[in-house]
Amino acid sequence: MSLILGGGISGLAAAFYSTPITLLESSSRLGGWVRSVQSPEGLIFEKGPRTIRPKGRLGANTLKLVEDLGLADQVIPITSSHPTAQNRLIYVNKKLHKLPSNFFSLFKTHSPFSKPLIFSILHDLTTKTVPKSDESIYDFVSRRFGSEVADYAVSSMICGICAGDAKKISVNFLMAKLFELEQLHGGVIKGAIKEMMSKRPDLSGYEESELYRRSRIEKWSVWSVEGGLQTIVNTLGEHLSNKVEVKMDTTCTNLEFLEKGVKA
């Protein structure tokens, strides 16, 4: 039997592009961390992620999925010049702190940091690469950019993304691209600059959608959809209803690795 474990957006997307298959979900709902709630006044509240980044291969794949689901006309783009993209806040020591939003602000000290963030960038540029196969997100960021960035910015971000602990989550699992930039190019900033200097992202083997072309031309920072990200989950569920056997409240408790496959 072929199985997909988990009915989060990744599991649902995998099922959408698969042949008839069985999907196991341990809870009573689909969507994983995605959960959009509408108030009586019509306001949308996201209890999980509220936007998606359009960058790179993963961004291209996600926008292609949205296009394949027929949701292109419901996409809400947020450009890099939008106030939402320009004003990012973190909650530290019971206060909201605004993060630097442009190049020049990197040279000023912003609370809760004790010095300008340009020093964190210089730290990455001057720190030698340590060959590794993996490490925690916290250790990686602390090693490349300093402990304050790891404590204040990245730990807050990881809590927001998956309610997780940056000291316990693999950088190769959640931030594989940053880890790859360091290991291949000698540093995160060095690698990012090299990729920016290239003519366009390497999307070999991936079909570029009209939405992805729009995102590059219009310089999207992030995007969402009308009704919240739950709209994507609900639409996937509708498409899979006649193709995939979905078993709710079904927990996989054991995986056995065989010579020619895996037995759940």
Side-chain angles (χ1 to χ4, degrees), residues 21 23 26 45 82 142 151 156 167 192 198 204 217 229 238 249:
I21 200 168
L23 184 149
S26 62
F45 292 92
H82 193 278
S142 183
D151 283 327
S156 298
K167 294 182 179 181
S198 62
S204 55
I217 294 171
L229 295 182
E238 293 170 4
D249 300 305

Side-chain angles (χ1 to χ4, degrees), residues 50-186:
R50 60 191 179 91
T51 55
I52 298 176
R53 287 176 55 81
K55 308 295 183 183
R57 295 184 180 184
L58 295 178
N61 276 346
T62 307
L63 287 170
K64 180 65 168 59
L65 169 66
V66 169
E67 200 167 270
D68 290 343
L69 290 172
L71 297 174
D73 59 343
Q74 297 184 45
V75 169
I76 304 173
I78 301 171
T79 63
S80 56
S81 60
H82 193 278
T84 299
Q86 293 291 319
N87 296 280
R88 301 190 183 279
L89 306 173
I90 57 174
Y91 185 71
V92 177
N93 298 328
K94 299 182 179 181
K95 291 182 180 180
L96 286 173
H97 304 267
K98 183 180 177 181
L99 292 174
S101 59
N102 56 57
F103 177 75
F104 297 104
S105 62
L106 295 175
F107 294 88
K108 299 179 180 180
T109 301
H110 295 265
S111 178
F113 303 100
S114 62
K115 55 187 177 182
L117 288 180
I118 188 65
F119 287 102
S120 297
I121 294 175
L122 292 174
H123 188 276
D124 176 65
L125 290 172
T126 57
T127 297
K128 292 183 179 180
T129 299
V130 178
K132 288 176 175 284
S133 59
D134 201 2
E135 62 185 317
S136 74
I137 293 174
Y138 182 91
D139 288 342
F140 172 78
V141 174
S142 183
R143 181 166 58 81
R144 298 305 315 180
F145 298 98
S147 59
E148 285 194 341
V149 173
D151 283 327
Y152 300 143
V154 173
S155 290
S156 298
M157 180 179 68
I158 297 303
C159 285
I161 292 174
C162 60
D165 185 343
K167 294 182 179 181
K168 298 180 180 179
I169 298 178
S170 156
V171 67
N172 242 341
F173 172 70
L174 204 57
M175 294 184 171
K177 184 60 180 179
L178 298 185
F179 189 72
E180 179 184 301
L181 289 176
E182 183 210 28
Q183 296 295 309
L184 291 180
H185 304 291

